[in-house]
Every structure is written in structure tokens, then in C-alpha cells.
Amino acid sequence: MTDTPDLEALRREVRAFLAAEAPTGWRDASRTQDDFVRTQRDWFTRLVSAGYAIPHWPAAFPGGGRSLAEQKVIYEELAKADCPRLLLSFVSTYHAFATLHECATREQQDRYLPRILEGETWCQGFSEPGAGSDLAAIKTRAERKGDVYVVNGQKVWSTMAQFADKCLLLVRTSSDGPKQAGITYLLMDMKAPGVSVRPIHQIQGDEEFAEIFLDNVEIPVSERVGEEGKGWAVAQATLASERGLTLMELSYRMRGALARVASLIREHGHEDDRGVLRDFGELVTQVDAVCAVADQFLDNRIKGIERIGDASIIKNSYSRALRAYAKLGLRLGGIAEQYVAPITFGDLNTGNWMADFMNSYAWTIAGGSEEVQRNIIAERMLDMPREPKAWVA
Amino acid sequence: MIELNELTDAAQKAFPADALSPGRDESWRLVAEMGWLMVRLPEEDGGLGLDREASAAIHFEMGRVLATTPLIPAQLGLQAVLASEIAARVEWLERLAGGEYAPLHLLPAKLEAAPNGTLSGVVGGVFDADMAMAVVAKLPSGYALVPTDAPGVSIVERAIWDPSRRLFDIVLDGYAPDPALMLTDADGAAALHDALAPEAHLAVAADCLGAANAALELTIEYMKMRRQFDRPIAMFQALKHRAADMKARIAVAEALLWNRVRDDAATLVQCGAAKTLAAEAFAFVTEEAIQLHGGIGLTEEHPIHRFMKRAMLNLQLCGSPDLWNERTGREALG
Ligand SMILES: Cc1cc2nc3c(=O)[nH]c(=O)nc-3n(C[C@H](O)[C@H](O)[C@H](O)COP(=O)(O)OP(=O)(O)OC[C@H]3O[C@@H](n4cnc5c(N)ncnc54)[C@H](O)[C@@H]3O)c2cc1C
């Protein structure tokens, strides 16, 4: 679509900023975790000061209050300039922001939101070894002792936990009644005594997530979000941000990264191979449609319309397109892709096709698996009956 | 300005969801009465002057009820006359807006010109030619109105699997084109084609998605009602997941359709891509729908097969998915 004059001006402004400051060579500078973290922190700081890091936040924050159309322009330009995706601050600017903004006290918001812009990073401590899709089955215990909770247990798959300052922590404060009723939401300091973190090695050689062990960790009661036993509802705000909002940026990035497939087609001399062109065309349309559905979702959200299940549709469509993208690259790349090449930490569309393929599972598993999203679409949108609960081994 | 939801409400009242494929001639009269034949005719030409979004919304509702009335070829025929400079343009537009029918053909024409300029061969893909007074056909010398009662013109119905529509060939045998009815010359034909093709793609895409939604609704309803193993089959997760995928395919194709309908800068290839995605989603949904109905899905008496048959025909209209995927790929390659 053609831009209005205001949007055109914004686009020019973003382009000028990117021309001057977009990091080059960051892929080569993100080959080790340490380098990756340095690159990430540096780029986040620069984006914050330019006012492009948090376009989805309210206008009270510098760089916030952008309209949907403005957000789109920003994401499009960032994707075109092939800037690093902000993985390190991903949970901070989306999950932590949404949770604090929607559910926390004024005091908690004032304390934590500005610090995010100063570079404080968050991780999400929801999943446990025994509680994945069945998140409400968490066992990590918090016992109230005076004005602190004493927490014991284990979290797993916590993205970037090894670098995080703070954690969105889901704990059990009661075992009575339905599983959901005994859950409480806490904000935990990752430097607190009793917290230890062990990175998990992933199949593509990355260490994106980590285990968190909690041994008598004391968390002040003032760090609770919502009431005791009401944490499940707060957790829904966290999860909703992951399924909906983030996918707009990622969809636009994937659209930008279609150019990688195009270069592969040219490199291998497939420009006139009709089979290849068809498969590429199909992928292009699939990605365009994911962008359109993400746009529509945000557009509705801004108008205050959000139907249960919409985010599940976007998530499943995005993750399937991402898998198709990686697989087409893998197929066109041929045997060359079976030789190990350096990976780029934290990026989803890197052009290292085997790594991208493996990484694409992150989106069919994390944040509620593809199957769980299908349950939501079927039961909550199409109103199909739930399975009987009782099961005896 | 008529609001979109008013249009949709009116359509749903006139064509209720429980009456699939209502009779063609009554539907045509109703459609003419409601002014839908002149939706895209500008106000200065006596029409409603509505945009693409409005016509797409109507075609969506027509798809939902598997309408038998040929609104899409009628709209395209009118737009072809509108874009022309023939002497009798005003009279023709009046007649078409008032309920006469001159459809654009939606499949290729295979014609040969004799040395004396007369034409012989077949103009394919004419819906409901039996009620047409003329057909907008692409002749070697340009687009033209070909009166169906002219000497050398005959109409031949081609039986199709889709019971909701009727398709004809126009057979020309030594037909001498009337110069007064030439809508373009040979050079102008490409331009007119490029102007009409996006409209055709978006209209067929809307038809597909309206119908796909209806097919999904019918299927879900059936799955909730049909019991096996002492429970509704809708409780089986293997089936729920298939239903969820049907819903997702429709939702994504719809988002792309409305995005391109509203984007005046969308290219022909982008509109072809939106149609391809919509038609593929429709075909996928109806293919699954029959399986999920079990044996009853294979019976004439149950309506679900009619959706599948419309889907298969729609896939082939305006060029095949292979063609448009290839063109999309080529365009994206730059
Ligand atoms: C890259 C990545 C990052 C992550 N980051 C975080 C994070 O920062 N913080 C955090 O707390 N967690 C995080 N997670 C964890 C994530 O939320 C869980 O992995 C996810 O919810 C699935 O749980 P599970 O791994 O235990 O799989 P399981 O729940 O054991 O699932 C195994 C398989 O069974 C299927 N299945 C399970 N239940 C059902 C059902 N009811 N119906 C149909 N199929 C079912 C699943 O779809 C899957 O295919 C992350 C995961 C990944 C992959």
C-alpha cells in the first residue's frame, strides 16, 4: 500500500537512522553467546534512544504510542535493513511489559517499566519438567512467611534466563481445589540467594533457554502481581502477548527474509524452473497472508476487538510458514546445507537453512504447542466439546 | 454511502443460509431489485458507485449460499462496457444495470479469423448464457459485445459437476463482429484484461471464502450432532484438530483477501495470489468436510458435496493455482 505523507516521513526518518546506525556484520559478531549478548545490548540501547524499540507501548513512554500503521513501517524497515532481532529483550518488552501494564500495581509499573528501557532484562519462569502444555500442573512451591514468600522448585525452558535480571515466576501457593486456583504470580530477582541457572544445549548448537533451580528463594510479598491464588489470570496476559503481538514483527521479518530464498534460487540457477517458482510463489503468498492476518489482529486489538482463538490462528499460521520457509531453503540448498556452518545466535531467518529448520520448531512448541492451539481453536472458537476429564491409568 | 454491514445484512436476509442454491431466475430478479447489478457502476452513470470492498462483500455472501445467479460475470461484463467508448454505451449500461445480462467469459476463447474477417471457434466459460443477450468476449481484434442471437452465434451448454452453476460455450461459425460493438481494439484488449482480471480474482476469492465458511459451519454442526462410541464425534481430538486447521486456513486466506481488496495498489499477480490461496483453502475445507461426514457425505441428498464441486470449479477459474503460484514466484524473484 502507498504511505500517507506522515507515514512516508516516518519511513524516511527510520531509514535515515538505519543508514547511519544499523549494525553491519552482526551475524559474524553473534557467533558466540558473549558476543551475541553484547551485540544485543548495544542494538537495544540504540533503538531505545532512537525511539524504535517499543512502538507497541503506550505514548507515555518515549518511542511508544505508535499507531498500527506506524508500527508496521518500523518493523518493515528494520526487517529490510536486516537488523538483529531483539531476542534478549524479547520477554522484557513483550511479556513483562504486557503483564505489568495490564495486571501490576502502579508502583510496580513505575519501578520496572522504565528499567526495561534502561536495559534490565526479564525471563519467563512458567514451564516445569512436569508442567508443559498442562501449565496449571506446576509444582514449584511458595510458602508465605511474614512479608516474604519462600520458594522451592525448578523451572525449565526459560528463554535467556542465564542473562536475565528478573523473572516472571509462576508458583503454587495452594494445592486445594482446582489446579488453577492455587497459582500465584511473582516477580523474582534472578540475583537473589538460592537462584541458580543452567543453560540447556539445543539441537542447533544454541543455548537459547535454561533451567532455573530455586532453593529457599525469598521473594517479598510486595513483588506479587495480583492476589494470592489469582496468578493464573495474570499468566494469561503474559501468554496472550506472546501469541499475538510479537508475531507481527516476526511475520514482517520473515517477509523480508524471503529475499534469502530468492538469492538461493538465483545462485543455483533455478530462475526458470517452474516447479521451484511455484513453490516459492506459494511460500510468498503464505507469508503475505500471515502478515495480513497479524495486521488484522492488531487492527482489531486497537479497536478493542479480540476474539479468543485469533492469536492461536496467527501463531499456527506463522509457525507453519516459518517451517515451510526453512524447508524450501533446505531443499534448494541441497547437500551444502548438511555441512555444519556457523550459526547466528538468536535469529530465526539466518540463511543457515539446517539451523533455521531446527529453530523453526521453537514456534510450533513454545508458547503453547501447535496441538494446544488447535484445541483452543476447536473448543473455544468452533465450540466443539471438550474431552471427558477423568482418566484412570 | 451504504455501510458494508448493511449490505451484508441485506444479503443475508435476501439469501438466508438455510436455503442453498435458491432458484436462479428468482435470485436474479431479487439481485436486480436490490441494485447489486450496479454496485460498481459510478453514481454519475446512474449506479451505486461502491468500491471493491462492497462488491467483494456481496460475492462473499453469494458464495455462502452457493448462489446460482451469475453475479460475478455480470459485474465484469458491465465493467467492460463501462470502460469502453462505444456509441451506445449509455444505453447498454442502463440495460445492464436494469437487469439484462451480458457476462464476461471466464475461460479462454479459441477463435480463428477467416480472410473475410468472420470468426469461427469457441468462447469458453460463459455462465448462464441462456439468459444472456450478449457476451463480452475477447476476439482477435479486441473485446466485443457478441449478441447471442446474431447470425453465426450459438450457445452450447456444457454439463459441469458443480450443480450450483450453469456453464456454456459460445460457438461462433462465420460470425461477423459488429464494429459498433467493439469495446476495445486489439491493443486496448490487454489493458482491459489487466483492469478486469484483479476484479475477477477478488470476486472469485470472496465467493470461495463465503462458501468455505458455510461448509465449515455445516461440518461442525454435523460433528456435534453425529454420535459414535457413545459421544459426539466432535469430541475426538483427531477430528477437532482437522476442524481447527480448516478454520485457520479460511481465516488466513480471508485476511489476505480483505487486505488486497482494500489495497488499490495491489498488482494483478497479488490479486491472483489471493484468489489462489482462497480457492485452495476452499478446496481443502470441502475435501476434509466430505471425509468428516462419512458415508452421508457421498450422498446426493446431503448438501456438502455441492460445496466441494463449486470449490473444484472455482480452482480452475481465472487461471490455475500452478499458474499464479509460478507468477507470484517470478515476481518475487524480481
Ligand atoms: C524455544 C522455546 C522457548 C521457550 N521459552 C520458554 C520460556 O521462556 N518460559 C517458559 O516458561 N517456557 C518456555 N518454553 C516452554 C514451552 O512453553 C513448552 O515447551 C510448551 O508449552 C510445551 O510443553 P512441553 O515441552 O512440556 O511438551 P508437552 O506438553 O510434554 O508436549 C509433548 C507433545 O504432546 C502434545 N500435547 C500435549 N498436551 C496435549 C493435548 N492436550 N492435546 C494434544 N496434544 C498435546 C504437544 O503438542 C507436544 O506435541 C519454551 C519452549 C521452547 C521450545
Side-chain angles (χ1 to χ4, degrees):
Chain A
M1 281 195 207
T2 41
D3 290 341
T4 62
D6 283 355
L7 289 178
E8 223 176 87
L10 174 65
R11 201 180 283 281
R12 270 199 306 274
E13 183 193 303
V14 181
R15 276 188 191 159
F17 160 74
L18 289 172
E21 298 210 32
T24 51
W26 60 272
R27 281 173 207 287
D28 289 326
S30 305
R31 301 293 191 211
T32 68
Q33 281 277 13
D34 287 349
D35 291 342
F36 162 69
V37 169
R38 199 171 320 113
T39 319
Q40 286 273 314
R41 288 199 196 283
D42 176 58
W43 180 229
F44 180 69
T45 310
R46 277 195 275 168
L47 273 181
V48 169
S49 52
Y52 305 131
I54 46 144
H56 59 289
W57 286 29
F61 296 91
R66 298 287 195 179
S67 71
L68 172 67
E70 289 172 331
Q71 292 186 35
K72 263 191 278 191
V73 167
I74 294 172
Y75 294 136
E76 264 171 12
E77 291 305 318
L78 289 174
K80 260 188 228 151
D82 192 28
C83 302
R85 172 188 161 223
L86 294 173
L87 180 65
L88 187 63
S89 37
F90 180 62
V91 173
S92 322
T93 57
Y94 286 104
H95 307 61
F97 159 72
T99 312
L100 293 166
H101 180 61
E102 290 170 34
C103 307
T105 61
R106 189 60 209 256
E107 200 205 330
Q108 289 167 330
Q109 292 175 355
D110 289 347
R111 183 158 4 125
Y112 291 122
L113 289 175
R115 287 205 216 155
I116 290 177
L117 300 184
E118 289 159 17
E120 188 165 87
T121 60
W122 288 74
C123 64
Q124 180 191 11
F126 281 21
S127 305
E128 297 181 8
S133 301
D134 188 9
L135 180 59
I138 55 162
K139 288 205 180 75
T140 293
R141 273 301 295 191
E143 263 171 281
R144 176 120 184 216
K145 294 219 170 115
D147 52 9
V148 297
Y149 285 102
V150 178
V151 183
N152 282 286
Q154 183 192 345
K155 294 290 171 179
V156 70
W157 319 128
S158 186
T159 300
M160 299 276 109
Q162 59 272 50
F163 309 109
D165 304 300
K166 301 286 299 181
C167 177
L168 303 165
L169 189 70
L170 222 48
V171 296
R172 178 159 301 286
T173 40
S174 161
S175 306
D176 301 333
K179 292 184 288 192
Q180 286 83 356
I183 293 175
T184 299
Y185 202 112
L186 299 173
L187 307 174
M188 180 176 75
D189 193 340
M190 292 294 284
K191 313 263 170 4
V195 179
S196 51
V197 179
R198 189 168 68 200
I200 301 171
H201 305 289
Q202 283 173 251
I203 55 175
Q204 74 273 33
D206 205 339
E207 289 176 357
E208 183 181 318
F209 43 43
E211 288 175 290
I212 307 175
F213 299 92
L214 305 166
D215 179 16
N216 284 317
V217 180
E218 293 190 359
I219 303 177
V221 171
S222 60
E223 299 293 273
R224 191 183 66 210
V225 182
E227 288 168 41
E228 186 172 303
K230 296 272 159 62
W232 187 248
V234 181
Q236 299 314 307
T238 314
L239 293 172
S241 77
E242 177 165 28
R243 285 173 201 173
L245 272 180
T246 57
L247 287 176
M248 178 169 178
E249 178 189 350
L250 292 177
S251 306
Y252 278 86
R253 281 187 170 268
M254 181 163 40
R255 175 138 82 189
L258 286 170
R260 291 187 179 282
V261 184
S263 356
L264 208 53
I265 292 174
R266 273 189 236 102
E267 231 170 81
H268 289 261
H270 291 314
E271 293 99 322
D272 289 311
D273 182 324
R274 301 174 72 180
V276 168
L277 288 173
R278 276 176 200 163
D279 292 340
F280 181 46
E282 204 175 345
L283 176 69
V284 169
T285 303
Q286 196 182 354
V287 173
D288 279 350
V290 172
C291 290
V293 88
D295 275 7
Q296 191 185 54
F297 176 78
L298 265 162
D299 215 5
N300 281 340
R301 213 179 135 98
I302 287 168
K303 291 188 199 129
I305 310 167
E306 191 169 349
R307 290 165 308 181
I308 292 171
D310 280 350
S312 302
I313 287 181
I314 303 180
K315 183 170 180 282
N316 278 5
S317 315
Y318 171 77
S319 58
R320 275 296 142 186
L322 186 64
R323 180 76 43 81
Y325 167 85
K327 278 181 72 179
L328 184 56
L330 198 52
R331 184 183 116 199
L332 294 171
I335 183 70
E337 298 308 315
Q338 296 309 311
Y339 297 105
V340 176
I343 61 163
T344 306
F345 280 86
D347 195 14
L348 287 163
N349 313 112
T350 67
N352 178 339
W353 297 103
M354 189 62 188
D356 285 358
F357 168 66
M358 293 187 274
N359 223 344
S360 72
Y361 280 88
W363 280 94
T364 46
I365 296 174
S369 71
E370 180 171 51
E371 290 74 19
V372 167
Q373 307 301 336
R374 285 195 183 112
N375 290 345
I376 295 173
I377 297 168
E379 290 169 4
R380 315 278 302 269
M381 288 190 112
L382 301 176
D383 205 24
M384 298 174 85
R386 287 165 187 259
E387 283 158 288
K389 280 234 185 299
W391 180 75
V392 186
Chain B
M1 177 72 196
I2 298 172
E3 292 285 336
L4 214 55
N5 50 2
E6 285 172 34
L7 212 57
T8 303
D9 286 351
Q12 291 178 354
K13 265 195 208 92
F15 293 95
D18 54 1
L20 286 179
S21 300
R24 183 192 72 181
D25 295 342
E26 306 88 86
S27 299
W28 181 257
R29 272 194 295 278
L30 196 56
V31 155
E33 261 167 41
M34 292 196 294
W36 291 356
L37 298 174
M38 47 174 155
V39 161
R40 301 301 302 285
L41 190 63
E43 279 173 303
E44 61 265 30
D45 293 300
L48 299 182
L50 297 181
D51 58 10
R52 261 195 340 209
E53 198 171 351
S55 54
I58 292 176
H59 297 310
F60 188 93
E61 295 305 325
M62 296 288 92
R64 194 191 279 285
V65 296
L66 302 180
T68 52
T69 176
L71 212 49
I72 294 174
Q75 176 195 319
L76 297 168
L78 180 138
Q79 288 179 307
V81 176
L82 181 67
S84 77
E85 287 166 4
I86 56 170
R89 181 173 169 277
V90 174
E91 291 90 310
W92 274 89
L93 289 177
E94 262 173 33
R95 290 167 65 183
L96 296 181
E100 291 187 40
Y101 178 56
L104 180 73
H105 68 116
L106 295 184
L107 295 172
K110 292 190 184 101
L111 297 172
E112 271 173 34
N116 66 359
T118 63
L119 300 171
S120 296
V122 172
V123 177
V126 183
F127 283 98
D128 302 274
D130 61 315
M131 62 180 239
M133 22 113 55
V135 171
V136 175
K138 192 171 182 217
L139 307 181
S141 52
Y143 277 95
L145 280 160
V146 177
T148 46
D149 60 1
V153 178
S154 51
I155 63 170
V156 179
E157 179 153 17
R158 300 287 304 271
I160 49 172
W161 288 104
D162 175 8
S164 65
R165 290 181 289 195
R166 292 180 64 189
L167 200 58
F168 293 74
D169 282 342
I170 302 294
V171 179
L172 303 185
D173 183 14
Y175 169 68
D178 178 349
L181 295 181
M182 290 305 300
L183 299 172
T184 70
D185 56 18
D187 291 339
L192 183 60
H193 177 268
D194 287 354
L196 292 181
E199 296 275 343
H201 285 299
L202 297 173
V204 174
D207 183 87
C208 287
L209 293 172
N213 272 296
L216 177 61
E217 273 163 36
L218 268 186
T219 307
I220 302 291
E221 225 171 86
Y222 182 74
M223 290 166 81
K224 287 183 189 166
M225 185 271 286
R226 170 72 178 162
R227 288 172 171 262
Q228 286 292 281
F229 301 95
D230 304 316
R231 72 201 71 187
I233 59 169
M235 205 177 267
F236 294 118
Q237 198 187 46
L239 307 191
K240 276 201 267 194
H241 281 192
R242 289 165 75 171
D245 286 346
M246 290 155 83
K247 173 75 187 169
R249 289 277 294 261
I250 295 174
V252 169
E254 254 188 69
L256 189 67
L257 167 67
W258 296 115
N259 171 298
R260 301 231 152 127
V261 162
R262 289 179 197 128
D263 180 2
D264 290 330
T267 63
L268 167 58
V269 173
Q270 284 177 327
C271 295
K275 184 264 165 178
T276 298
L277 194 72
E280 300 263 38
F282 183 23
F284 170 76
V285 166
T286 58
E287 193 182 324
E288 289 288 86
I290 290 190
Q291 178 67 20
L292 294 173
H293 275 83
I296 197 92
L298 296 181
T299 61
E300 176 87 62
E301 114 195 35
H302 194 282
I304 198 69
H305 69 102
R306 299 200 237 154
F307 287 90
M308 181 274 288
K309 289 169 178 169
R310 189 160 172 127
M312 294 305 159
L313 180 59
N314 278 4
L315 264 181
Q316 299 304 325
L317 296 179
C318 309
S320 71
D322 279 348
L323 173 79
W324 290 103
N325 282 332
E326 183 186 334
R327 292 189 68 178
T328 304
R330 214 178 277 284
E331 193 171 84
L333 205 55

